[in-house]
Amino acid sequence: MSTQDLLVFDNVSFSYNEDDENPSFAVKDVSFSVRKGEFLVILGHNGSGKSTLAKLSNAIFIPTTGKVFVNGMDTSLPENEIPVRKNVGVVFQNPDNQIVSSIVEEDVAFGPENLAVDPKEIRIRVDEALKAVGMYERRFSETHRLSGGQKQRVAIAGIIAMRPGCIVLDEPTAMLDPKGRADVLNTIRALNKDHGISVVLITHFMEEAVYADRVLVIDQARIRAVGKPREIFSQREMLKECGLELPDTAKLCDKLRDRGIGIRDDILTEEELIAEIIKRSGK
Amino acid sequence: MSFIEIKNVSFGYGHKTPFEVQALSDVSLSVEKGEFISVIGHTGSGKSTLMQMLNGLIKPESGEIRLDGKNINANKKNISEARFRVGLCFQYPEYQLFGETCYEDIAFGPRNMGLNEEEVKNRVMQAISFVRLKPEKLQKSPFDLSGGQKRRCAIAGVMAMLPDVLILDEPTAGLDPAGREAILGMIGNYHKQTGATVIHVTHSMEIAAAMSERILVLNHGTVAYFGTPKEIFSHGEELVSMGLNVPAFTKIILELKKRGFHPEEAYTVEAAADQIASLLGGGTAL
Ligand SMILES: Nc1ncnc2c1ncn2[C@@H]1O[C@H](COP(=O)(O)OP(=O)(O)OP(=O)(O)O)[C@@H](O)[C@H]1O
Ligand SMILES: Nc1ncnc2c1ncn2[C@@H]1O[C@H](COP(=O)(O)OP(=O)(O)OP(=O)(O)O)[C@@H](O)[C@H]1O
Ligand SMILES: [Mg+2]
Ligand SMILES: [Mg+2]
């Protein structure tokens, strides 16, 4: 474990039915760490254990065996619960489940209030968090009047206001329209790039993994692969076995190869493909 | 006369409360028998409200909905006919499951239609083959299934009624890629094998472009556009201003145009690959 590691999973297993004769494991023998400032994406089929990992990361669940450390603190010790939650914030899939107040700024203040932060300090943090997600102008709005994407951004602001070093987001874009998705992704990227917050993003959209520093693939409760996006998306057989696919641009490149165009097989983004087409056409 | 006619329909939630919302305003459109329609629109644009109206769950405050010439809300007989002929799979199908077992859940609709147990069983078996749910899951509680399996069970329950109109509200949200592909495949099979009309709500421009004969675009409770994928995605800028977009493959084609190439429009991966291959002097699919 290095001092650069904010969140460490050390040989973690978790069972929802550990008292049964034959317990089954939602997470099995998982070890990985999230470095300071890292953008990590987690991919995996339905039921592979992603949400369970999210809940293990800030002491909502405690490992059945193995340990989770946040800034070196063991999450299984009761005295660490609050400092752990200060350091790792989790945004759940459905924003409706985590919006607790009827007014936007009250909702954002809820987290830091629970951490007993000084009221003056809370004021500063709430404004800052709302600005970071682009919702400052809507601070007095009623939360139930917000769109899905706006609610999701308020939920993220609530987490930012707790000033965690790491934010874990569980499928934050699953129910959003294209603009809502883009807004939430841009917000997450800015937090990571401009504020140095480590991000763990759980998603079923391969396009969202393209810009990650590292991608973790979970298959049936276990880690199947870890690597840079280009390494992961070059393993086509592995992806298929795990119920995953290629990002749209890479799919298009495969179709070009089917048509006899010998295009590079490591293209992931639109810009890379356009550059390659320009180069090949000799323009 | 079209198979489904929606005439000047309006609906609002929470009248006389501070939370009043006009969900649909003066919506008119018609759908022909056997069409495959996708519905797109920003969150809160009224998609789910309109879908629930089509099988009589929500009654228009003004205007009317006609199915096969009959106003579905005219009387009890018409409403119950609409419930059987129009199968609706909700946005959150988890809330639609309530049976002790998957079998009971899927059998619920056909039983309500007055079929005998033999016929009900046939319908259940046919439906699970459509959705490729394994027969051994039939005796399990729907609550012990994974997210993707729950969704299959809910869709099977709707397909088991063999509806003339199959409506699916974001059937692939939250599914992994393999699950998405499987569910879209089985919706396509149902459409081909039964000739039913399919209306499908999605936030994916790529899926809408690849699957539909026509696309309905809702914007703040009104119809912005209703046309072929080609017509719809020629309005790129307007779609972006409505919180939507063109498919990823179309974006690449548009960008190539800006860079001085002359590809034809393309909305699907296959069409985009054909265009780029011909720009690069390659052949068509092997
Ligand atoms: N509360 C629970 N009780 C019992 N089993 C559960 C519970 N929650 C999840 N599971 C099981 O644990 C396994 C992992 O579930 P988890 O929710 O972590 O998967 P996931 O990767 O997040 O899936 P999805 O992509 O569908 O959200 C699954 O087999 C699931 O059925
Ligand atoms: N039960 C309800 N009570 C009050 N308002 C509602 C209710 N259901 C929907 N609304 C409101 O009506 C409008 C239309 O909602 P609808 O659910 O039809 O949108 P949608 O296009 O399906 O959105 P999404 O893409 O988020 O599913 C929205 O402003 C929504 O907040
Ligand atoms: Mg999950
Ligand atoms: Mg909806």
Side-chain angles (χ1 to χ4, degrees):
Chain A
M1 196 190 325
S2 104
T3 52
Q4 290 298 302
D5 295 337
L6 221 144
L7 174 62
V8 176
F9 276 64
D10 184 11
N11 207 19
V12 171
S13 297
F14 181 83
S15 172
Y16 285 97
N17 57 347
E18 57 176 314
D19 299 329
D20 282 16
E21 217 168 289
N22 293 308
S24 55
F25 285 88
V27 167
K28 186 74 178 133
D29 303 335
V30 166
S31 296
F32 70 96
S33 51
V34 181
R35 298 172 196 136
K36 281 210 176 89
E38 185 173 31
F39 195 135
L40 179 78
V41 164
I42 301 185
L43 304 176
H45 61 82
N46 290 124
S48 57
K50 304 178 300 298
S51 297
T52 309
L53 283 180
K55 290 173 186 156
L56 284 162
S57 70
N58 79 342
I60 296 171
F61 292 159
I62 303 301
T64 306
T65 61
K67 295 271 184 212
V68 174
F69 297 98
V70 168
N71 267 343
M73 291 175 287
D74 180 344
T75 61
S76 69
L77 303 177
E79 65 268 28
N80 286 341
E81 187 180 300
I82 293 210
V84 160
R85 297 224 173 124
K86 274 188 186 171
N87 275 284
V88 177
V90 179
V91 180
F92 298 100
Q93 178 170 341
N94 184 348
D96 285 324
N97 291 344
Q98 50 197 335
I99 300 264
V100 289
S101 309
S102 58
I103 302 295
V104 166
E105 62 169 16
E106 286 170 13
D107 192 78
V108 177
F110 182 81
E113 274 165 7
N114 263 2
L115 297 176
V117 175
D118 175 70
K120 268 194 217 135
E121 167 73 15
I122 291 180
R123 180 73 257 165
I124 296 169
R125 287 192 188 188
V126 167
D127 289 350
E128 223 179 68
L130 283 169
K131 282 176 189 160
V133 300
M135 290 293 291
Y136 183 69
E137 278 66 44
R138 301 295 300 271
R139 63 193 178 283
F140 304 126
S141 296
E142 288 171 301
T143 45
H144 67 262
R145 285 184 175 265
L146 302 175
S147 74
Q150 291 167 334
K151 278 185 196 161
Q152 194 62 272
R153 281 189 281 158
V154 170
I156 295 172
I159 298 295
I160 299 172
M162 307 209 302
R163 296 258 170 95
C166 180
I167 300 189
V168 179
L169 304 111
D170 194 356
E171 296 191 42
T173 60
M175 286 288 173
L176 301 184
D177 57 38
K179 177 166 192 301
R181 265 182 76 186
D183 286 350
V184 166
L185 287 175
N186 289 336
T187 302
I188 298 169
R189 268 194 224 140
L191 287 176
N192 177 250
K193 291 266 160 332
D194 308 342
H195 301 258
I197 296 176
S198 305
V199 169
V200 178
L201 174 64
I202 296 171
T203 182
H204 286 303
F205 295 111
M206 303 301 118
E207 289 70 35
E208 297 178 3
V210 166
Y211 296 95
D213 294 317
R214 275 193 309 159
V215 178
L216 195 69
V217 177
I218 310 287
D219 182 31
Q220 299 182 48
R222 294 171 188 270
I223 293 182
R224 175 66 186 267
V226 196
K228 294 211 166 68
R230 233 177 272 289
E231 293 160 5
I232 297 295
F233 289 119
S234 66
Q235 302 176 54
R236 288 174 166 67
E237 279 308 304
M238 181 276 291
L239 291 172
K240 208 166 171 203
E241 283 166 29
C242 295
L244 304 177
E245 64 179 352
L246 291 172
D248 285 330
T249 305
K251 267 191 225 162
L252 178 54
C253 291
D254 275 8
K255 297 287 178 191
L256 288 172
R257 273 187 291 281
D258 290 348
R259 286 162 175 75
I261 310 279
I263 206 156
R264 265 169 45 207
D265 68 357
D266 62 345
I267 291 178
L268 288 182
T269 68
E270 215 176 289
E271 300 79 53
E272 288 167 355
L273 176 57
I274 303 256
E276 178 75 7
I277 293 170
I278 290 173
K279 199 176 102 194
R280 291 185 136 258
S281 70
K283 279 213 179 187
Chain B
M1 185 189 66
S2 297
F3 188 50
I4 300 173
E5 293 187 334
I6 300 173
K7 292 185 187 166
N8 308 103
V9 161
S10 297
F11 186 82
Y13 292 99
H15 288 303
K16 302 201 180 85
T17 74
F19 316 126
E20 182 165 346
V21 199
Q22 193 62 33
L24 293 172
S25 317
D26 198 21
V27 168
S28 296
L29 58 103
S30 38
V31 174
E32 305 306 324
K33 198 165 187 149
E35 269 196 288
F36 196 115
I37 307 279
S38 289
V39 183
I40 61 178
H42 61 84
T43 59
S45 58
K47 303 181 296 296
S48 297
T49 306
L50 184 61
M51 296 306 110
Q52 291 171 71
M53 268 183 185
L54 289 175
N55 83 340
L57 278 178
I58 295 180
K59 216 177 143 195
E61 285 170 347
S62 58
E64 62 178 34
I65 295 182
R66 290 186 170 269
L67 175 67
D68 226 353
K70 286 185 239 172
N71 178 345
I72 64 169
N73 294 298
N75 52 47
K76 274 204 173 133
K77 188 172 148 279
N78 287 9
I79 291 194
S80 81
E81 189 182 322
R83 293 270 160 85
F84 292 138
R85 295 189 68 180
V86 182
L88 168 64
C89 190
F90 289 95
Q91 185 163 5
Y92 302 95
E94 295 74 357
Y95 300 151
Q96 197 163 2
L97 300 168
F98 46 80
E100 287 266 312
T101 63
C102 286
Y103 184 92
E104 292 304 310
D105 226 297
I106 300 170
F108 182 82
R111 251 183 218 143
N112 258 356
M113 297 170 77
L115 300 179
N116 68 39
E117 275 309 301
E118 185 62 31
E119 290 165 327
V120 168
K121 187 168 177 218
N122 289 338
R123 290 289 186 96
V124 172
M125 298 318 283
Q126 185 186 11
I128 64 167
S129 79
F130 275 130
V131 304
R132 276 183 254 141
L133 192 69
K134 295 199 181 95
E136 64 255 32
K137 301 283 181 206
L138 284 173
Q139 295 317 317
K140 283 193 113 182
S141 155
F143 301 99
D144 288 346
L145 301 177
S146 81
Q149 290 161 348
K150 274 186 194 148
R151 219 166 255 273
R152 283 167 204 236
C153 183
I155 295 176
V158 176
M159 286 183 176
M161 305 196 338
L162 290 179
D164 297 336
V165 183
L166 177 64
I167 303 182
L168 304 122
D169 198 346
E170 293 195 47
T172 62
L175 290 189
D176 59 41
R180 270 199 299 262
E181 196 146 302
I183 288 200
L184 294 173
M186 73 212 189
I187 295 167
N189 280 343
Y190 185 85
H191 180 238
K192 273 196 216 91
Q193 289 178 22
T194 64
T197 308
V198 175
I199 304 179
H200 151 255
V201 176
T202 182
H203 278 310
S204 165
M205 304 300 116
E206 291 76 22
I207 295 175
M211 293 197 72
S212 350
E213 289 159 80
R214 285 197 293 163
I215 299 174
L216 171 65
V217 184
L218 289 183
N219 186 38
H220 295 293
T222 63
V223 176
Y225 303 110
F226 190 23
T228 61
K230 184 178 159 75
E231 287 161 2
I232 298 304
F233 292 121
S234 67
H235 297 286
E237 274 176 35
E238 293 88 345
L239 291 174
V240 168
S241 76
M242 295 174 195
L244 303 174
N245 216 319
V246 297
F249 311 111
T250 308
K251 267 191 233 166
I252 293 174
I253 294 292
L254 291 177
E255 187 58 33
L256 286 171
K257 277 192 178 168
K258 275 195 211 150
R259 307 292 184 95
F261 293 90
H262 303 286
E264 285 171 29
E265 299 108 347
Y267 310 102
T268 62
V269 66
E270 297 291 345
D274 284 342
Q275 288 303 316
I276 296 172
S278 78
L279 292 180
L280 295 178
T284 43
L286 298 176

